[in-house]
Amino acid sequence: MAITISPASALAPWLLLLVAPPAAALDWLVAPSLRLRESYTDNALLAPPGQEKSDFITEIAPAIAVIATGPRLQVHLDASWRKFLSHQRADSDTVQLQAGANSELVRDWFYLDGHASISRQNVSPFGAPVIDALPDSSNQSTVRATVVSPYLRHRFRGLGTFDARYTRADVSSENNLLSTHSDELQLLLGGEPRGRGWTWNASYDVRRTEDSVLPPQRKERASVGLRYPFSRTWSGTASVGTEKEGYEASDGRNPQGRFWSVGGVWTPSSRTSVAFSTGRRFFGQTYSLDARFLQRHNNWSLQYSEDITTMPAQFLRLGDNDAASLLDQLWRGIFPNAQDRRLRIDAFLRYAQAQDPQLGGLNYFSHRYYLQKQLKLNMVRATPKSTLILGVSAVDRTAQTNSGVDSGLLPDIDLSTSDRTRQLGASAGWSWRSSSRGSVNVQAGYASARSLSVPRRDDNITFTAGYSRVLRSNMTAAVDLRRTQHRSNRGGDFRENGVSATLTMRF
């Protein structure tokens, strides 16, 4: 059965949270805008050498940003509608959305979280990447994801804190290539006996997932854990439990069993923390790392994780929360107003994402279950005159289920290419305020998608340089140059060069 999500329902969690607490207690910021962009490209259809066709592309993009903060409600929305007019392709339009809210409905008891996103994503990790200034190609589709999560949380004196959370998550795409929804119940009880510094926790998690091409899947997990401080800066952690996945593994093994992990936490200061662990699950030895380091002008984060996941689950995690958090910590002294700071963060990340060669490619369409091993390194340096953001990522995915379920998604690609894939990416974005009204922006990136099961490798390289100037308090003009290069050992190489002139008006 096909499951679809309309744009209206994608906004439902945000609207639902909006009416929860008294609106008068909120500090509102509503910032509508209109972006007009004219672009020239020397390869509008991303054709191989000798077959390029140039084109002029007009883009009209009204947008709105909404930020509301209060003692019991926080709302953030960044949405735009983009209309593309061109000669080489049919006119098209797309919607982009990032919306989220957190609400305390009953003080100290009942809460509600919501998130919605609409984004352009690659159908396959191999092939042409998403180029922000161009309309969608045949390898791209729009993905809509929504999450609504009411939960109870209360601290019982002498016992601990109890959490009971229900989460409803939906993911859908154009033409119903992907269509899933899940219902999850999480129970968590944790305590700190008599304030002695050590803590314990017990949890139970059950999730039911429905996919349009698969039978319903049920996942269960139960665990108990302990954290014990050995000193002011060092603590040890341990956990044990059982888990059961609902999918049918391609190797015939039963994806269930007991698991355990041991690790440590090092917190030499409020600005530095390192958490690490090792353990064993039904698929083998596991490792994890979460390290963060904050300086006056620099902020670093390094994470490594291993888990069983699906592509719809990865789409639910889209967004640059790590980079946004790093920027927010560094810009607090430069832009003390929280709402103004958030608008600047959104604008900076929107530009950086638009030039990222992995845009829409790190996650792709699939109905399969994967063992995912992911490493991420982010660094942000911010001063009153400039901002630099660096990112490195590596993702290794090994399929746990058969490839036949993806036959309707990738009819022109050997399905065995996704049996095991490895994706590497690196990007750098730099913004420099050359004057009180002007700024220079430079973005460079590299992304590689490689199949380890068949000999296929695709590489994408991008470079963008631009200059923007504030013409009036509510009007900004920008000029950008870009170059995109795609290489593959299966053919389909192309190069694309473009120049864009943009006028942005805020109301």
Side-chain angles (χ1 to χ4, degrees):
M1 179 182 67
I3 307 162
T4 60
I5 302 175
S6 67
S9 64
L11 285 171
W14 180 71
L15 297 174
L16 180 63
L17 291 164
L18 199 59
V19 299
L26 299 176
D27 183 11
W28 286 92
L29 174 63
V30 180
S33 64
L34 175 64
R35 184 180 68 198
L36 305 175
R37 178 162 64 180
E38 187 69 21
S39 302
Y40 169 79
T41 173
D42 66 355
N43 192 359
L45 302 179
L46 307 181
Q51 302 179 31
E52 302 96 333
K53 293 184 179 180
S54 61
D55 198 4
F56 285 93
I57 300 173
T58 300
E59 179 185 343
I60 305 170
I64 187 170
V66 178
I67 300 174
T69 55
R72 297 174 58 189
L73 175 65
Q74 295 80 43
V75 176
H76 171 243
L77 178 143
D78 187 11
S80 65
W81 176 77
R82 305 172 65 188
K83 179 68 174 181
F84 293 95
L85 307 174
S86 62
H87 299 288
Q88 298 295 339
R89 300 190 188 191
D91 296 346
S92 62
D93 62 85
T94 184
V95 174
Q96 291 182 321
L97 170 70
Q98 286 291 334
N102 312 99
S103 177
E104 183 181 18
L105 301 179
V106 179
R107 190 179 300 276
D108 297 328
W109 271 100
F110 188 42
Y111 305 81
L112 181 62
D113 294 344
H115 179 76
S117 67
I118 304 176
S119 59
R120 300 163 68 191
Q121 300 293 324
N122 274 15
V123 176
S124 167
F126 305 102
V130 174
I131 298 179
D132 183 69
L134 301 183
D136 288 348
S137 71
S138 59
N139 189 37
Q140 286 136 36
S141 183
T142 297
V143 174
R144 297 179 175 88
T146 60
V147 178
V148 179
S149 182
Y151 62 100
L152 294 170
R153 174 177 292 167
H154 189 71
R155 181 175 180 83
F156 296 92
R157 185 173 300 178
L159 176 61
T161 301
F162 174 72
D163 284 66
R165 178 186 289 267
Y166 166 76
T167 302
R168 168 74 179 204
D170 296 87
V171 177
S172 68
S173 70
E174 294 176 315
N175 303 319
N176 289 322
L177 293 178
L178 277 186
S179 183
T180 70
H181 71 242
S182 65
D183 299 280
E184 183 174 13
L185 176 64
Q186 297 171 294
L187 303 176
L188 175 64
L189 182 63
E192 185 176 353
R194 298 182 181 179
R196 296 178 179 177
W198 65 278
T199 61
W200 61 270
N201 65 80
S203 66
Y204 175 73
D205 185 355
V206 58
R207 181 172 64 213
R208 187 177 189 273
T209 303
E210 293 188 14
D211 190 301
S212 58
V213 301
L214 296 173
Q217 310 286 325
R218 179 184 173 90
K219 174 185 176 179
E220 288 186 84
R221 180 184 176 97
S223 68
V224 293
L226 177 70
R227 175 170 171 167
Y228 186 83
F230 297 108
S231 67
R232 184 181 63 86
T233 60
W234 280 98
S235 298
T237 60
S239 65
V240 296
T242 63
E243 61 182 335
K244 181 179 180 180
E245 294 281 353
Y247 63 83
E248 183 177 343
S250 56
D251 59 8
R253 292 189 297 178
N254 204 3
Q256 65 179 10
R258 298 184 179 91
F259 66 87
W260 61 268
S261 70
V262 294
V265 180
W266 180 52
T267 52
S269 70
S270 60
R271 290 172 168 258
T272 302
S273 66
V274 179
F276 56 91
S277 69
T278 183
R280 191 164 189 85
R281 296 176 61 183
F282 66 85
F283 53 80
Q285 196 76 21
T286 62
Y287 304 91
S288 71
L289 173 67
D290 187 352
R292 301 176 187 273
F293 180 45
L294 174 63
Q295 297 173 300
R296 181 181 179 184
H297 295 298
N298 302 321
N299 203 342
W300 298 79
S301 71
L302 174 65
Q303 290 100 27
Y304 176 78
S305 61
E306 301 178 357
D307 201 5
I308 299 294
T309 188
T310 64
M311 289 301 102
Q314 293 302 303
F315 287 132
L316 291 170
R317 300 175 185 175
L318 286 178
D320 279 276
N321 293 329
D322 291 338
S325 177
L326 296 179
L327 280 170
D328 184 73
Q329 291 174 320
L330 289 177
W331 280 359
R332 287 179 182 177
I334 302 173
F335 309 109
N337 183 280
Q339 294 181 337
D340 177 62
R341 184 170 65 249
R342 182 69 212 203
L343 287 179
R344 292 175 182 271
I345 291 172
D346 288 344
F348 181 84
L349 292 179
R350 193 183 306 117
Y351 179 83
Q353 292 169 358
Q355 318 308 327
D356 190 345
Q358 291 198 142
L359 180 65
L362 187 61
N363 297 310
Y364 46 88
F365 284 26
S366 177
H367 298 283
R368 306 174 76 178
Y369 281 74
Y370 291 90
L371 169 59
Q372 176 176 284
K373 301 179 180 181
Q374 184 171 27
L375 176 69
K376 295 192 301 180
L377 171 65
N378 288 300
M379 190 281 286
V380 174
R381 176 176 175 79
T383 68
K385 293 278 291 184
S386 68
T387 300
L388 172 67
I389 181 167
L390 304 175
V392 177
S393 65
V395 180
D396 188 291
R397 293 189 177 113
T398 302
Q400 305 295 295
T401 53
N402 292 318
S403 62
V405 294
D406 286 343
S407 58
L409 294 175
L410 310 171
D412 301 325
I413 293 181
D414 182 358
L415 295 178
S416 60
T417 57
S418 62
D419 286 347
R420 187 179 178 191
T421 60
R422 180 169 296 162
Q423 294 170 268
L424 304 175
S427 62
W430 177 63
S431 178
W432 174 60
R433 291 182 61 194
S434 57
S435 68
S436 60
R437 288 179 171 268
S439 62
V440 176
N441 302 291
V442 179
Q443 181 84 11
Y446 166 79
S448 172
R450 179 185 176 192
S451 173
L452 302 182
S453 49
V454 300
R456 173 153 191 175
R457 175 174 174 172
D458 287 29
D459 296 320
N460 297 307
I461 301 173
T462 64
F463 177 81
T464 302
Y467 176 76
S468 63
R469 184 171 181 82
V470 178
L471 304 180
R472 299 178 182 175
S473 60
N474 64 340
M475 185 178 299
T476 303
V479 177
D480 294 282
L481 302 173
R482 72 174 181 274
R483 178 179 175 86
T484 304
Q485 184 171 344
H486 172 78
R487 296 194 300 257
S488 174
N489 60 2
R490 292 292 187 91
D493 296 7
F494 69 82
R495 294 180 181 178
E496 191 269 342
N497 300 286
V499 59
S500 300
T502 306
L503 183 66
T504 303
M505 295 167 285
R506 294 174 294 278
F507 306 101

